[in-house]
Structure formats: C-alpha cells, structure tokens
C-alpha cells in the first residue's frame, strides 16, 4: 500500500469528543479507541470458540468479512506511520498477528497481517523487537511455505526489511539456516511462479542472504548437487530435488519476459555465485544449464542492453546490471570448460558489445570543454568521475573480459572479425584506449596477428599507438 488513509470517521459526537480529549495516537489524528476495536475483532476471529468449527464452516473461514477487511486494511495503511506502529507495538499487536497467522486459514487476512508487520519492521526499534521474538520468527518463516502469492510477497518484503537491518540480520540468517525447507520453498517459487513482483522480491531476499553469508550461499549451492540430474519424476513419489542455479535461471527468464530492467537482482545473484568455486561449478558443471545461462546473458548484452541505437547516457541506468552480466559471462568464459557455446568464432558479436559499452562510457565521461577529439595515445583516456564507483567497476570487468577474449583470438577469427566489422579501426582503437597500458602484452599479441590478416589496419593502429610497434 502506498498511501495513508483518512482517519476512520467517528460515529457520534461522543467519539469526536474522545478524539479531541486525547484519543489520538501520537501526533496523528488516528483514534486509539477505533484501533482497539479492530484489534479486538482480530482476537475474536482466532479465539478458541471460533476456530473449533465443523468442516461445513471451513469455506467460511477462508473468506474475510468485507467490513473487517476494510478496517484491517486501514490499519495496514496506518502502520506506515511511526506513531501508529509504535502504538501497535505497545498494544502487543505482533502477538495478535502471530495468533492470526498460526490459526487463520484466510489468505487475505494472513497477507494483511504480514503486511502490517512488514510496515512496522521499517522502524528500527520495532524491527529489533519483532526479530527478538523467537516464536514470531518461526511463524513468519513458516509463511514462506504458504501457497498464496500475496502472502508470500508480503513475507518476503518483511524478511528483506529485517535482513537489511544490521542489528538483527544475523538472527534471521541463522533462523533460515536452521530451516532447510526454506531452500526448497524458495527454489519452488523461483522455478514455477509467474508472479513477477513475487519473483523480484524473493530474488532480493536471496541476494541479500548470499551477500550477508557466504557459508549459507555455499550450503544452498551444494543442495541437490549429489542427486541425479535428470531423474524422471514418475520413478518416485518423493519431492523433486531442486538445484539452485536452474531455479535462478527460470526466475530470470520469467522476469525478463515482463521487464528486462528488473533483472538486476538475479544477475547479481549469479555474480555472487561466481565469487566461489562451487558457484562457478554449479553454473558450468551441467552443460545444459551453463549453455542456457550463457545464451541468456549473451542475448541480453547483444540485443537488449546498451544497443547501438540507444543514447550513450543509458549506460548510467544499466551500469549495475551490465557489470553483473559481463562479470558472469567473464567467469564462465574463464572457467576453461570445453563447451561448444564458448567458441569465440561464434561469439564475435560479444566483442562488439564489449567495445560498444566502452565507447558509451567514454561518451558519458567526456567533459563539455573537451571539444577536440583525438585518437592519439596521449589523449586516449578520459578520467573516471570521482563520484561514480559503479562505472569504474564496470570498466574493470569489461577490460579483463575483453583481454581474455583477445588472447583466444586466432588468425581466422581475427580475419572474420575484420570482415564483419567487429574489429574495425574505430573499434580496435576504442579497445586499445581502454586496455592500455595494463594489458599491453595482450594488445601486442593481437597486433601481431592483425599484421598477418590486414597489414594496413595494423600499421594505422600502430601510428595511433606508438608503444605498440611490434619488434620483428
């Protein structure tokens, strides 16, 4: 919910007098008396006499009375106000919500209760209190096993809020580690949900977990790793074995189908996986998974992000997702796996994309007063702005990846690249401007090959970059 409601209308003059006489919650105009009434109604819903019902009443238990729904939704809106959230805390509202979550079968009511707790957790004092309640923590984590997408969404939002609070993050990481079934639930959501809002929020939770605790990330990566990769489900009635990387891939594909700009979180999860050997192996060990991830990321950088018809400034919007995508591609490429999809002659467009991003970066960093352009080595670099750390990270990733690709280029591949335009004079110049001087040996070896393919082009580049004069 993104708005606060108008305060509940008083039903009589006496209630107006109560509000005026100190019934307001903190500095708000919300009524304590009205809020007590709503919370009392919640208590009645989960009271023993109401929960002991026959099977004929089960359908009714899953539905929420319209008046009660409207009132509790008002509380949901109101809970974004700190005074209201603190008042709810003082009134032990979290215990009431815990009772609802433990006993109610109504999806809408469960969603709203978790949503209110999520709003309350945005305030540090309350977040610490909620997190310190072990019983409430157990109930909330159990909500991750729910089949209702809105409830799962609100639960994920609450968990992300708590994981983002340094004072309590470790508490939630340990609780999640103690509940292995959460891994299965998260993987099931990522592999089967079509609710993109839920997929993005669950992705943010996983991303935060892995960022906070490498040990947990390794445990999740290794889950299912010893199980048969392609065991037919009909051979066993047991639950399917989820492997993390294929589930991440399915979620990324679903998110991309709706809006590629929301892919950032899943690309960053993959990037985190490549920081550990087990993570890289989980990506490349299964040929089909490795190929699918490579093809997805290859398609993103070659046909989706930072294209030739995009203005260079788009790089500012896409720099973080591009850093993740190119980092994962680079890690897969450097993994030394002999896979058909990694043969560079098939991936020449990747060189084009790498150089295009570097060219856009140069355009973004040009200062207005520098109106003259030159391809000479002395003016080859434009200083990175001090306030843009992400561009510096992206440049380092691009240069390392490009240097690795250059080292793998054969005479035949270079000839193909020159013919198709991926290795034109302008593009080679842009590449050299960024690779030199740190990758001088790589560029010098490339020039030697280029001499055999197109001596005129090699000579032109040597004139622009005198330090590259090849010794013969």
């Amino acid at each position: 919910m993104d708005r606060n409601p108008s305060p509940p209308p008083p039903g009589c003059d006496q209630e107006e007098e109560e509000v005026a006489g100190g019934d307001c919650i903190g500095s708000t105009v919300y009524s304590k008396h009205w809020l007590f009434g709503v919370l009392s109604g919640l208590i009645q819903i989960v009271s023993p006499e109401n929960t002991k019902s026959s099977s004929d009443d089960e359908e009714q238990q899953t539905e929420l009375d319209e008046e009660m729904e409207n009132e509790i939704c008002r509380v949901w809106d109101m809970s974004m106000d700190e005074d209201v959230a603190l008042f709810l805390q003082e009134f032990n509202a979290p215990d009431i919500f815990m009772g609802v979550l433990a006993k109610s079968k109504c999806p809408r009511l469960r969603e709203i209760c978790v949503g209110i707790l999520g709003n309350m957790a945005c305030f540090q004092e309350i977040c610490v209190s909620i997190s310190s309640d072990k019983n409430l923590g157990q109930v909330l984590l159990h909500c991750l096993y729910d089949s209702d997408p809105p409830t799962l969404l609100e639960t994920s939002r609450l968990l992300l809020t708590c994981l983002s609070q340094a004072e309590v993050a470790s508490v939630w990481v340990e609780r999640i580690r103690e509940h292995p079934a959460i891994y299965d639930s998260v993987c099931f959501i990522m592999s089967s949900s079509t609710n993109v809002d839920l997929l993005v929020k669950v992705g943010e939770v996983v991303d935060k977990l892995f960022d906070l605790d490498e040990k947990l990330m390794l445990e999740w990566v290794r889950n299912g790793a010893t199980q048969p990769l392609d065991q037919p489900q009909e051979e066993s009635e047991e639950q399917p074995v989820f492997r993390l990387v294929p589930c991440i891939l399915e979620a990324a594909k679903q998110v991309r189908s709706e809006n590629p700009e929301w892919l950032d979180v899943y690309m960053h999860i993959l990037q985190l996986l490549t920081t550990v050997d087990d993570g890289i192996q989980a990506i490349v060990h299964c040929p089909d998974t490795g190929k699918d991830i490579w093809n997805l990321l290859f398609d993103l950088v070659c046909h989706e992000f930072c294209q030739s018809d995009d203005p260079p400034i788009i790089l500012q919007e896409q720099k973080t997702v591009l850093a993740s995508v190119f980092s994962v591609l680079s890690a897969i490429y450097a993994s030394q796996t002999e896979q058909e999809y990694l043969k560079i002659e098939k991936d020449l467009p990747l060189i084009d994309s790498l150089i295009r991003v570097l060219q856009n970066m140069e355009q973004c960093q040009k200062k207005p007063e520098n109106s003259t352009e030159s391809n000479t080595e002395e003016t080859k670099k434009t200083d990175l702005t001090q306030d843009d750390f992400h561009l510096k990270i992206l440049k380092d990733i691009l240069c390392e990846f490009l240097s690795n690709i250059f080292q793998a280029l054969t005479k035949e591949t270079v000839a193909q690249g020159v013919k198709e335009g991926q290795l034109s004079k302008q593009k080679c110049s842009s590449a050299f401007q960024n690779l030199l001087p740190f990758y001088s040996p790589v560029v010098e070896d490339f020039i030697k090959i280029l001499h055999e393919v197109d001596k005129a082009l090699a000579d032109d580049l040597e004139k622009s970059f005198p330090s590259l004069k090849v010794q013969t």
Side-chain angles (χ1 to χ4, degrees), residues 277-313:
D277 288 340
D278 282 5
I280 296 176
Q281 291 305 313
I283 292 173
V284 302
H285 179 68
C286 179
D288 289 341
T289 299
K291 180 180 179 181
D292 286 347
I293 290 178
W294 176 272
N295 288 342
L296 172 65
L297 272 54
F298 179 89
D299 195 48
L300 286 173
V301 297
C302 291
H303 304 113
E304 197 83 59
F305 294 130
C306 203
Q307 295 303 291
S308 57
D309 55 349
D310 289 329
I313 195 66

Side-chain angles (χ1 to χ4, degrees), residues 35 39 42-43 46 72 75 79 84-103 109-110 112-123 125-140 143 158 162 172:
L35 186 54
L39 294 176
L42 277 178
I43 294 172
V46 294
I72 195 66
V75 178
S79 63
V84 174
L86 288 169
F87 183 77
L88 287 168
Q89 178 72 11
E90 292 171 8
F91 192 68
N92 293 324
D95 287 342
I96 298 173
F97 299 142
M98 179 171 64
V100 172
L101 294 172
K103 299 177 181 179
L109 182 58
R110 292 169 60 81
I112 296 170
C113 287
V114 179
I116 295 172
L117 287 168
N119 282 354
M120 294 172 66
C122 292
F123 306 105
E125 176 185 339
I126 302 175
C127 184
V128 171
S129 177
I130 290 175
S131 301
S132 63
D133 188 330
K134 187 174 181 180
N135 291 331
L136 179 57
Q138 300 288 336
V139 170
L140 289 172
C143 289
L158 171 57
C162 294
W172 289 98

Side-chain angles (χ1 to χ4, degrees), residues 295-433:
N295 288 342
L296 172 65
L297 272 54
F298 179 89
D299 195 48
L300 286 173
V301 297
C302 291
H303 304 113
E304 197 83 59
F305 294 130
C306 203
Q307 295 303 291
S308 57
D309 55 349
D310 289 329
I313 195 66
I314 196 134
L315 188 61
Q316 291 289 355
E317 298 177 11
Q318 300 176 352
K319 58 194 173 187
T320 55
V321 67
L322 282 171
S324 295
V325 171
F326 279 118
S327 180
V328 176
L329 285 170
S330 182
I332 296 175
Y333 187 80
S335 65
Q336 304 299 316
T337 56
E338 297 294 329
Q339 299 294 341
E340 184 72 16
Y341 64 86
L342 291 179
K343 291 186 177 180
I344 193 58
E345 59 267 22
K346 295 188 174 184
D347 297 325
L348 276 171
L350 193 55
I351 296 178
D352 202 39
S353 296
L354 284 160
I355 294 175
R356 182 169 61 250
V357 176
L358 287 169
Q359 288 174 327
N360 283 356
M361 190 177 296
E362 292 168 9
Q363 291 295 322
C364 289
Q365 294 164 353
K366 278 186 177 179
K367 298 178 181 179
E369 59 268 26
N370 293 346
S371 57
T372 58
E373 296 184 0
S374 173
N375 287 328
T376 62
E377 191 170 4
E378 290 77 14
T379 60
K380 65 186 176 184
K381 291 183 180 179
T382 305
D383 291 336
L384 288 167
T385 55
Q386 295 296 318
D387 61 342
D388 203 332
F389 182 61
H390 290 291
L391 278 182
K392 174 66 168 64
I393 292 175
L394 177 58
K395 180 179 178 180
D396 290 345
I397 292 170
L398 293 171
C399 289
E400 181 179 0
F401 191 14
L402 189 59
S403 71
N404 287 335
I405 291 178
F406 267 34
Q407 290 180 70
L409 291 176
T410 63
K411 179 179 176 180
E412 292 74 22
T413 310
V414 171
Q416 182 183 345
V418 171
K419 179 180 179 181
E420 296 179 358
Q422 292 98 348
L423 295 172
S424 65
K425 179 182 177 181
Q426 181 187 18
K427 292 175 181 176
C428 286
S429 295
S430 294
F432 292 0
Q433 286 171 16

Side-chain angles (χ1 to χ4, degrees), residues 11 16 55 172 175 177 189 240 263 369 377 399 415 448:
E16 291 179 0
S55 57
W172 289 98
R175 284 177 181 161
R177 177 179 283 114
I189 293 169
L263 273 172
E369 59 268 26
E377 191 170 4
C399 289
K448 290 178 183 178

